Amino acid sequence: MKTQAPKIRLVLLPAVLLMLGACAQAPAPPPEEAPAAPVRLEVAKRETFQPELMVLGTVQPGGMAEVTVPTAGRVLYPDRFAAGLIAGADVRAGEVLARISFGDADADLAEARLRVKGAESEVARHQRAFDAGVEAAVILASFKADLEIARSRLAASENRLGRLSLRAPLSGRLIVDSRIAPQSEVAVGMVLGRIAAAGALSVEGRAAAADRDRLHAGLAVRFGSEGHEAGAGTVREVAPVVDAGGTIKLIVAVGDPAGLPGPGEGVEVRVALDRHEQALTVPEEALVVAESGSALFVAQRSQGHLIAHREAVETGARGGGRVEILRGLSPGDKVVVGGAALLAEGDPIAAIEGGEGSEGGESSAAGAATPGGEAGEAGK
């Protein structure tokens, strides 16, 4: 037994050494630098800028007339408008659009028609008796007089109902805000519809009170959205006072109505404001909006790398997808115009190849992201 103990110790010693080596913690790899975010840059410079103001407006006809109920009763329509007045339908002046019926007038008309029919029958009977020589002429004359009285009363009843026929006061297109079904009870003064007269159109818009100083007569206007234009015009009038809703009214004379919706319908009004000379502008996508206000990310160099620096700015007018920067930006600053929404203060960035702000090492995303900044330093 004593001769075998040294052999056991010799066998166990290498195994213990192996276990101790395996338990030893390997050294941690050196930390890697955060990858640079690819962005598109634009060099800020002063240029002539055409601002634009977009408001909502309503197309107004050259003239307008209302079809109003003159007395209470039930509304009836001609065959053309059997289910009620139709918005957009063309009507001509004098055309009957509806008729107001009430019990007394209908009863009077029915009674007058019966009286005429009875008087005609009596006159015919006495005419035959007179022709046969069995009746005096004076008797026939009295029945003829009764017939004339009955016809006069019938004409009066029909004239009374005629005055309750609602006729179009002018030719144009119907505007119906709420269709009233036939046989409905209507009250005095109720408006069944309006008629937009043919002729020169205008557009009435509402702008914020803060934009009053920028608006004046003579400014050019385009209707519709970008890429879907619908006519053009000129600002004719701007209200001098602010209304109760905090807006100002502007009237636009329509010069080109091509594609413009019908009277009473809404349309976008894009007013070309006075040009701004030597304005600093950026694409709208470059703005980062938060509770603290608007900001931009400007590319700055730090230790051989480009980083994003957040700069608070004050914005001005907008137009053509760009926004004017009044404060917080200087000519020559390299603004992040693509990818700004994903950045935070101090994030490393790499300018995408071909951007306006790309210069040297900043034009290559791969070069700017090279550890040590060798590519960036070489491109300075």
Side-chain angles (χ1 to χ4, degrees), residues 177-368:
D177 298 324
S178 178
R179 179 182 291 188
I180 300 175
Q183 300 292 340
S184 298
E185 294 289 337
V186 292
V188 178
M190 181 179 292
V191 178
L192 299 182
R194 295 171 292 157
I195 300 176
L201 298 176
S202 63
V203 174
E204 179 180 314
R206 296 279 174 177
D211 296 319
R212 182 176 57 180
D213 294 338
R214 301 196 292 168
L215 292 168
H216 60 81
L219 293 174
V221 173
R222 302 293 296 181
F223 302 114
S225 58
E226 287 285 351
H228 298 84
E229 295 184 351
T234 306
V235 175
R236 185 179 67 195
E237 178 184 347
V238 179
V241 295
V242 180
D243 60 21
T247 61
I248 56 172
K249 182 173 71 174
L250 65 150
I251 304 297
V252 179
V254 177
D256 176 15
L260 203 64
E265 299 185 37
V267 66
E268 289 186 8
V269 181
R270 296 185 289 116
V271 184
L273 303 174
D274 293 330
R275 290 179 179 271
H276 292 186
E277 302 296 336
Q278 300 298 307
L280 282 175
T281 66
V282 297
E284 291 188 358
E285 62 179 317
L287 282 180
V288 180
V289 181
E291 294 182 0
S292 57
S294 299
L296 295 173
F297 279 103
V298 179
Q300 293 185 348
R301 187 167 291 281
S302 175
Q303 298 180 355
H305 296 277
L306 286 180
I307 62 169
H309 171 62
R310 185 186 178 97
E311 190 73 47
V313 295
E314 179 183 348
T315 61
R318 298 171 184 256
R322 301 184 70 85
V323 58
E324 184 179 13
I325 305 299
L326 303 179
R327 292 183 180 84
L329 185 66
S330 301
D333 287 346
K334 295 178 180 179
V335 182
V336 177
V337 298
L342 304 177
L343 295 179
E345 173 66 27
D347 282 354
I349 58 176
I352 297 176
E353 185 76 30
E356 185 179 342
S358 299
E359 296 179 3
E362 299 168 11
S363 64
S364 172

Side-chain angles (χ1 to χ4, degrees), residues 4-293:
Q4 294 177 355
K7 292 181 180 180
I8 294 175
R9 285 195 298 268
L10 290 176
V11 172
L12 292 177
L13 182 59
V16 172
L17 292 177
L18 289 175
M19 292 176 61
L20 291 176
C23 293
Q25 186 175 4
E32 297 183 359
E33 295 183 0
V39 297
R40 184 165 52 87
L41 301 179
E42 179 179 296
V43 179
K45 54 187 175 182
R46 296 191 180 276
E47 295 178 322
T48 301
F49 175 55
Q50 174 66 73
E52 189 176 77
L53 177 65
M54 197 282 285
V55 300
L56 296 179
T58 305
V59 180
Q60 303 292 332
M64 185 77 74
E66 292 183 341
V67 181
T68 308
V69 175
T71 184
R74 289 182 297 109
V75 62
L76 306 173
Y77 297 103
D79 293 340
R80 181 187 178 193
F81 303 111
L85 297 182
I86 303 173
D90 292 324
V91 298
R92 63 184 184 278
E95 179 182 355
V96 176
L97 303 180
R99 186 171 68 87
I100 306 302
S101 172
F102 53 96
D104 293 343
D106 289 340
D108 291 346
L109 179 61
E111 183 180 352
R113 286 173 175 170
L114 287 175
R115 288 182 181 275
V116 169
K117 187 176 181 180
E120 289 175 344
S121 177
E122 287 297 314
V123 167
R125 184 170 64 86
H126 286 280
Q127 183 68 49
R128 289 193 298 270
F130 174 77
D131 294 339
V134 296
E135 188 170 88
V138 66
I139 298 176
L140 176 61
S142 66
F143 281 97
K144 286 184 176 181
D146 291 341
L147 176 58
E148 291 301 321
I149 293 173
R151 285 173 173 172
S152 177
R153 289 176 177 173
L154 175 59
S157 297
E158 290 176 340
N159 185 47
R160 183 182 179 189
L161 282 180
R163 288 196 298 270
L164 298 179
S165 295
L166 306 184
R167 299 179 180 272
L170 47 80
S171 299
R173 181 175 296 179
L174 276 174
I175 300 174
V176 181
D177 298 324
S178 178
R179 179 182 291 188
I180 300 175
Q183 300 292 340
S184 298
E185 294 289 337
V186 292
V188 178
M190 181 179 292
V191 178
L192 299 182
R194 295 171 292 157
I195 300 176
L201 298 176
S202 63
V203 174
E204 179 180 314
R206 296 279 174 177
D211 296 319
R212 182 176 57 180
D213 294 338
R214 301 196 292 168
L215 292 168
H216 60 81
L219 293 174
V221 173
R222 302 293 296 181
F223 302 114
S225 58
E226 287 285 351
H228 298 84
E229 295 184 351
T234 306
V235 175
R236 185 179 67 195
E237 178 184 347
V238 179
V241 295
V242 180
D243 60 21
T247 61
I248 56 172
K249 182 173 71 174
L250 65 150
I251 304 297
V252 179
V254 177
D256 176 15
L260 203 64
E265 299 185 37
V267 66
E268 289 186 8
V269 181
R270 296 185 289 116
V271 184
L273 303 174
D274 293 330
R275 290 179 179 271
H276 292 186
E277 302 296 336
Q278 300 298 307
L280 282 175
T281 66
V282 297
E284 291 188 358
E285 62 179 317
L287 282 180
V288 180
V289 181
E291 294 182 0
S292 57

